[in-house]
Each structure stands twice: as C-alpha cells, then as structure tokens.
Amino acid sequence: PPPPFVASGAMKGGSLELLGMRVGTHEAQDVSGFGERQWTRDPQLLWQGGKTGDRLTLAQPVPAPGRYRLRAVFTKAPDYGIVQVHLAGAKLGGPIDLYGRRVAPAQAITPGEVELEAGAAPLALEIVGKHESAVPKYMAGLDYLLLEGPIPETENKEARR
C-alpha cells in the first residue's frame, strides 16, 4: 500500500530540535520494522524513561505570526503513556492516550489552536499518566506535526461565535 498522505510543511517528530528534557532519552526511531508504509516517513520521535509530570520540549518552527491550528500524528503502543500537548505555553486540548495493543500509528488529531509569533515555538509533551492496561514505561512516539495557518482573521471570528 502507498504511504499515508502527509500535507506539505509537516515536520517529522524525529527531526524537531530538542529544547529541553529533564528525564529520559529521546531518539529518532526507525519504525519500518513494525510494518511497512504505516507511518508517513521514517523516523518517528521516541521518548522513553520519563514518568508522570515530566516534559519533553521541542522547537516547532513558525513561519509567520498569527493564529495556528496544530495537527499531530502520534504512535500507539502497549508501553506508551498519556500525554498533554502544550504549544507556546498554552495547553492544547485534553490528554492523549497513546496506549495500543500493538505498535501502530494513531489517527491524526487536532488538539487545538494558539496565537504564535514567528520563529521557534516551544512544543512540550507532558506525561500525565498511563492507560490501565499499559505497561508502566510511560513512553511516547510522535510521527509528525503540522501547523495549519496562519488562520485568516475572518475564520478566527467565525470560530469564536
């Protein structure tokens, strides 16, 4: 089968610059061994060794100031935790459960929108727990991120109504 569609401008998790991580390790992980053509392109970002309350912070490039919508594709696995996404200090959406019975890419999600300045915005993944069936390793895998925008002001006003 063909690889999953990736919109122009998507940033692979394994290619984002690390800004900070108190605990654990991160790496660009080749996921092709888990099934050919399931992820967008190799590699994914793999974070391991963290625990509840820990954060991994990456640099999310922002081309111009404005309001942006974030789209993300994570990986699910038996030993992955529940994460909360923060972008430029703003919590986006609710916690994302990355537990899965097997290693596989998750569906694309849009955790929220945020006003950003041009440059590199800090994007943090915070471990907030684990699924009751998950092996307690609290790992996280990120396939890609996509900033959609800047969102035109007319769309911003309509969304707020």
Side-chain angles (χ1 to χ4, degrees):
F5 172 76
V6 180
S8 176
M11 298 292 298
K12 285 297 294 176
S15 69
L16 293 168
E17 176 189 355
L18 177 70
L19 295 178
M21 175 181 60
R22 288 186 347 189
V23 177
T25 61
H26 85 291
E27 65 182 87
Q29 180 192 32
D30 178 358
V31 289
S32 62
F34 294 107
E36 288 294 319
R37 300 179 165 263
Q38 291 189 60
W39 285 262
T40 52
R41 294 180 296 274
D42 284 327
Q44 78 158 350
L45 170 79
L46 174 65
W47 178 27
Q48 49 192 342
K51 59 187 181 315
T52 301
D54 290 335
R55 285 187 184 203
L56 170 88
T57 305
L58 305 165
Q60 171 61 60
V62 181
R67 185 157 194 85
Y68 287 84
R69 185 176 301 119
L70 181 72
R71 185 184 331 163
V73 173
F74 289 91
T75 297
K76 292 188 172 237
D79 49 3
Y80 282 18
I82 299 172
V83 298
Q84 175 65 56
V85 176
H86 303 262
L87 183 57
K91 182 163 75 168
L92 295 184
I96 303 164
D97 189 348
L98 300 179
Y99 168 77
R101 292 192 328 220
R102 64 181 187 84
V103 179
Q107 295 293 316
I109 60 166
T110 305
E113 295 180 5
V114 66
E115 194 74 30
L116 299 172
E117 297 297 322
L123 180 124
L125 301 180
E126 176 186 9
I127 299 171
V128 296
K130 75 169 197 71
H131 187 279
E132 62 186 24
S133 298
V135 175
K137 291 189 178 179
Y138 302 93
M139 295 164 54
L142 174 63
D143 185 17
Y144 76 83
L145 295 169
L146 176 65
L147 276 182
E148 298 174 331
I151 300 167
E153 185 60 32
T154 55
E155 189 177 334
N156 284 337
K157 286 179 185 176
E158 289 173 15
R160 286 187 224 137
R161 289 184 197 180

